[in-house]
Amino acid sequence: MPDDEGRGFAGSVRRFFRWPREVPRGPAPAVPLARVGLFSVAAGAGIAALGWGDQVVLMALGPVYAMADDVLKGVRHRWPGFAVGLAAGWGTVVLVRATTSAPADPDWADCPALAAGSLVALAAFAAVTRLPDRRETARP
């Protein structure tokens, strides 16, 4: 793939989906992802404590935004990591909702499931981006 710097919008869209092979790609940084996850859980719990129960879904938006930001930065295995992170987070939310009993206060009903799902999504995304690259393992 030739240099896309001078191609304008089409080059930017192409680079969003497929980066040039020469560009080094590292794993997603774990510390910023952990900060986003913990802040999202704390913010969601605070929103639920204030009684804004419908807004607890904002707890899941922080991790999705953090993963999308790392996808845009071009981390290693970015699209598989994003897909695995979303699937793991959604599966955890469904599993926690099915196994826990609903509390008496309906504002807190989704809080444990969304907290666990957002943290699992970030952990799965970070784990997939740390897998070795095919080109690195193929070298003798």
Side-chain angles (χ1 to χ4, degrees), residues 1 9 14 17-19 21 29 32 34 40 43 45 68-69 80 82 87-88 95 98-100 110 114 118 128 138:
M1 176 179 206
F9 180 73
R14 190 176 302 126
F17 289 105
R18 195 177 87 185
W19 279 52
R21 291 196 180 271
S40 297
D69 185 46
F82 190 72
L95 183 66
T99 58
T100 59
D110 287 337
L114 288 173
S118 63
V128 169

Side-chain angles (χ1 to χ4, degrees), residues 67-133:
M67 290 188 301
D69 185 46
D70 283 343
V71 166
L72 291 173
K73 290 178 183 175
V75 296
R76 185 183 324 145
H77 305 301
R78 58 193 182 148
W79 291 112
F82 190 72
V84 167
L86 289 179
W90 176 77
T92 303
V93 168
V94 170
L95 183 66
V96 170
R97 281 183 183 163
T99 58
T100 59
S101 61
D105 187 9
D107 291 340
W108 288 97
D110 287 337
C111 223
L114 288 173
S118 63
L119 295 176
V120 166
L122 288 173
F125 175 73
V128 169
T129 61
R130 279 169 174 57
L131 293 174
D133 200 7

Side-chain angles (χ1 to χ4, degrees), residues 36-57:
V36 167
L38 294 175
F39 177 77
S40 297
V41 169
I47 288 172
L50 291 175
W52 302 331
D54 294 340
Q55 306 302 326
V56 177
V57 176

Side-chain angles (χ1 to χ4, degrees), residues 25-39:
R25 292 183 253 175
V31 174
L33 286 176
R35 286 181 187 155
V36 167
L38 294 175
F39 177 77

